[in-house]
Amino acid sequence: MSTSSLAFPSLHHPNLNLDTPKPFRRRRTTAVRLIVNSKDSIPPLSATSADIAPTATGNASTNLPLRPIPGSYGIPFVQPLKDRFEYFYGAGGRDEFFKSRVQKHKSTVFRTNMPPGPFISNNPNVVVLLDAKTFPTLFDVTKVEKKDLFTGTYMPSTELTGGHRVLSYLDPSEPKHAPLKKMVFFMLKSSIKRIFPEFESTYNELFETLESELAQKGKASFNDAGEQAAFRFLGRTYFETNPEETHIGKDGPKLISTWVLFNLGPLLRLGLPWFVEEPLLHTFRLPPALIKKNYKKLYDFFETSSSEIIEHAESLGISKEEAIHNILFTICFNTFGGIKILFPNTLKWIGRAGTNLHTQLAAEIRGAIKTHGGGKVTMAAMEQMPLMKSVVYESLRIEPPVALQYGKAKRDFTVESHDAVFEVKEGEMLFGYQPFATKDPKVFDRPEEFVADRFVGDGEELLKYVTWSNGPETEGPTVGNKQCAGKDFVVLITRLFVVEIFRRYDSFDIEVAASPLGAKVTLTSLKRARV
């Protein structure tokens, strides 16, 4: 979440032993990259943001017309409230909110107001970038500032993060950004050897739980059990601790979800009547004091389980307290939040695709494990699963776990859409609605459809337009950019999730319902693999 803030060079690395017999070819953009020292991904841990070349989104000479940015912000206070109401409660939801304005202005670049507006956000005015050509401007830190914009035109109270502005709210130019991101890289790197065994162990437990519930009730809810498994896996992998065996017990996902609600409430729809949601979530902030005790339980867990990471953070000049709040945010908001959205969404799209895709995935996955993994899931085996990798990227493309991106213009510059060039002025807030950029019909054939093999073979070239992580899928996080530090960790474990499903089952059936974050998935059948 880099907001639901949801990077791995090849896993062939001197400090990594995952049975990879030879380096992956550099031209294969789908190679899973791990956070290690590599000139192609993150810099050495001693590097600073000044060492990193920013993403280039400059404008070459063009024959496209120069247009003023269409749209207006309307009457202050009144129009932002009208826009907020239409955004949350209008027919067609968020997608229709943007589609109607594209049609009205005949442009994928326009001005409007974004929630929450009064009284939470001081300035709701944004310039919207909706196509795949303009959207990457939001990643160019030479043009846009990312300070305090993780959740958009407002920032949650720092009382929700121990009084600290955590990494997600820092611009790369700020002194604390580099050491905090290095801490997260260290956290990822130190967990490498535990990822595969802990994932297999934890998700075997999950599937046994789901099978038991399905046998008893005729259906099984994936989300609640999946969230328990996700937090258990993260605790075991990063800290060698099962949170369920600590004072947290099985309350971890509930504690996290409540805390996330207090952070993201102004941007969420819970399905309540508008006259309840508007004053409760979108007009005034929920008081942080109401969840202080819950947050302290999470803080205490990370304080007692993160000693190695805290020690490394202190060597980078980060205080113990600041390190713990950042570890908590990284695990609970970014990583757990990403899994909470991405795993059910992936299950949804694969489930809807039907048995033909299931049969192909099962054959590819089992064949690769047998031939290239010696019967085990290894990176060597996973690199021989092009359809599985494509399915994961297609899930990320069609329904990105991070929907909203923001940046404030550092200077005057121009942005070029497919049809025109627009002038942006210093200080203007830029906004991108990611699902439109990743379903741009001028880039993707059948953009609204789930095409399982879209990124197989020559289709790999399209991965540069899969931008769910505050950057392109073909690039990696550095201390000098704002791409999600754990981007490739999330991709890797999503691949492992698909692999574990089809190691165990030939096919499955689902029911899907709406949820404030991601999809709510219920399993109605699991067809065990035929031996």
Side-chain angles (χ1 to χ4, degrees):
M1 254 186 71
S2 171
T3 66
S4 196
S5 324
L6 4 141
F8 283 27
S10 78
L11 288 176
H12 184 76
H13 184 264
N15 295 328
L16 176 63
N17 179 15
L18 289 179
D19 303 319
T20 308
K22 59 184 179 180
F24 301 133
R25 293 171 292 175
R26 290 170 61 83
R27 68 178 177 83
R28 289 188 61 84
T29 54
T30 53
V32 178
R33 300 185 303 266
L34 201 54
I35 299 298
V36 294
N37 296 343
S38 165
K39 66 180 181 181
D40 294 320
S41 60
I42 69 164
L45 293 181
S46 60
T48 67
S49 59
D51 298 317
I52 311 304
T55 301
T57 57
N59 297 297
S61 59
T62 176
N63 293 323
L64 293 173
L66 180 64
R67 285 185 61 188
I69 299 174
S72 69
Y73 303 124
I75 301 172
F77 191 84
V78 175
Q79 190 61 44
L81 287 178
K82 291 177 64 177
D83 287 342
R84 183 172 82 193
F85 198 88
E86 184 180 347
Y87 178 88
F88 284 119
Y89 311 106
R94 292 190 300 186
D95 284 12
E96 187 57 35
F97 176 88
F98 295 112
K99 283 180 183 177
S100 64
R101 283 155 177 77
V102 170
Q103 293 166 356
K104 176 182 178 180
H105 302 303
K106 296 180 172 55
S107 174
T108 53
V109 178
F110 54 86
R111 300 183 187 278
T112 192
N113 298 289
M114 280 300 294
F119 294 92
I120 295 173
S121 172
N122 292 329
N123 185 1
N125 304 161
V126 299
V127 175
V128 179
L129 310 177
L130 287 185
D131 59 83
K133 198 169 182 180
T134 59
F135 192 83
T137 304
L138 292 158
F139 311 142
D140 189 340
V141 295
T142 69
K143 292 183 176 180
V144 299
E145 180 184 76
K146 291 286 191 173
K147 183 178 179 180
D148 298 338
L149 300 180
F150 182 63
T151 45
T153 60
Y154 80 103
M155 179 181 168
S157 170
T158 55
E159 290 183 53
L160 295 166
T161 49
H164 294 275
R165 290 174 59 239
V166 293
L167 176 62
S168 291
Y169 291 100
L170 301 180
D171 186 78
S173 64
E174 297 183 76
K176 286 188 177 181
H177 183 272
L180 285 170
K181 201 159 187 179
K182 289 176 186 177
M183 181 194 75
V184 179
F185 289 155
F186 174 82
M187 190 166 71
L188 287 159
K189 184 178 177 181
S190 63
S191 69
I192 287 172
K193 293 184 179 180
R194 294 189 291 272
I195 296 172
F196 277 46
E198 294 297 353
F199 194 93
E200 180 177 353
S201 173
T202 301
Y203 281 80
N204 274 336
E205 294 166 0
L206 169 64
F207 291 130
E208 287 171 3
T209 298
L210 293 172
E211 286 180 20
S212 176
E213 183 178 349
L214 191 60
Q216 294 175 16
K217 301 179 181 178
K219 59 176 61 178
S221 173
F222 174 80
N223 295 66
D224 289 345
E227 289 173 22
Q228 288 288 348
F231 194 52
R232 188 162 67 244
F233 163 71
L234 294 174
R236 288 169 167 175
T237 301
Y238 284 117
F239 315 115
E240 300 183 80
T241 302
N242 181 352
E244 294 174 10
E245 296 172 356
T246 71
H247 70 283
I248 291 285
K250 293 192 174 184
D251 290 338
K254 180 176 66 177
L255 295 173
I256 296 169
S257 296
T258 304
W259 172 68
V260 169
L261 173 63
F262 274 63
N263 281 272
L264 293 183
L267 300 179
L268 297 180
R269 267 239 58 195
L270 300 183
L272 301 173
W274 71 266
F275 52 84
V276 176
E277 281 196 345
E278 280 300 289
L280 178 65
L281 295 179
H282 305 149
T283 305
F284 304 102
R285 298 172 187 256
L286 295 170
L290 295 179
I291 59 163
K292 188 174 182 179
K293 289 183 179 179
N294 287 357
Y295 186 79
K296 185 63 164 57
K297 287 182 181 178
L298 292 170
Y299 181 93
D300 290 344
F301 168 73
F302 290 106
E303 181 179 27
T304 57
S305 62
S306 311
S307 56
E308 182 182 6
I309 301 165
I310 294 168
E311 182 179 342
H312 184 77
E314 290 176 326
S315 75
L316 296 171
I318 304 167
S319 71
K320 176 182 176 180
E321 181 182 325
E322 186 167 20
I324 296 168
H325 288 295
N326 274 275
I327 293 167
L328 189 160
F329 196 94
T330 298
I331 295 297
C332 296
F333 199 113
N334 299 125
T335 314
F336 176 84
I339 297 172
K340 177 185 176 75
I341 295 172
L342 186 53
F343 279 23
N345 284 356
T346 302
L347 195 64
K348 175 184 76 174
W349 290 109
I350 296 175
R352 285 177 170 176
T355 55
N356 185 45
L357 175 61
H358 300 177
T359 300
Q360 293 178 63
L361 285 169
E364 177 186 80
I365 288 167
R366 294 170 200 171
I369 291 172
K370 180 179 180 181
T371 304
H372 300 279
K376 297 180 179 179
V377 180
T378 64
M379 278 310 306
M382 289 181 69
E383 284 306 304
Q384 304 302 317
M385 303 176 189
L387 180 60
M388 177 276 293
K389 290 188 287 186
S390 179
V391 161
V392 169
Y393 286 126
E394 181 68 348
S395 297
L396 286 165
R397 180 199 71 83
I398 198 166
E399 194 166 13
V402 183
L404 315 179
Q405 294 283 355
Y406 288 85
K408 182 177 287 187
K410 291 182 174 180
R411 54 183 171 83
D412 295 356
F413 59 86
T414 61
V415 293
E416 182 180 308
S417 72
H418 295 300
D419 305 310
V421 176
F422 302 88
E423 291 184 323
V424 173
K425 298 298 182 182
E426 180 181 355
E428 289 194 297
M429 183 73 78
L430 305 181
F431 162 81
Y433 183 55
Q434 195 138 288
F436 273 42
T438 57
K439 291 188 283 191
D440 187 332
K442 294 192 177 181
V443 172
F444 295 104
D445 182 41
R446 295 183 289 162
E448 300 291 336
E449 295 180 34
F450 180 84
V451 181
D453 61 353
R454 187 183 297 276
F455 300 105
V456 173
D458 291 342
E460 290 184 12
E461 294 298 319
L462 291 170
L463 284 175
K464 62 187 175 184
Y465 299 108
V466 179
T467 55
W468 65 277
S469 61
N470 212 350
E473 186 58 40
T474 49
E475 296 182 13
T478 72
V479 294
N481 67 22
K482 286 302 292 180
Q483 192 159 29
C484 175
K487 179 199 78 157
D488 290 328
F489 174 82
V490 172
V491 172
L492 174 63
I493 62 174
T494 307
R495 292 180 183 177
L496 286 172
F497 177 59
V498 177
V499 167
E500 291 299 333
I501 290 173
F502 290 102
R503 286 179 76 191
R504 194 176 185 107
Y505 306 107
D506 285 336
S507 187
F508 60 89
D509 294 304
I510 59 170
E511 295 174 350
V512 180
S515 171
L517 291 173
K520 183 177 181 182
V521 177
T522 300
L523 292 159
T524 57
S525 76
L526 289 167
K527 300 177 178 64
R528 269 285 198 169
R530 295 183 293 272
V531 179

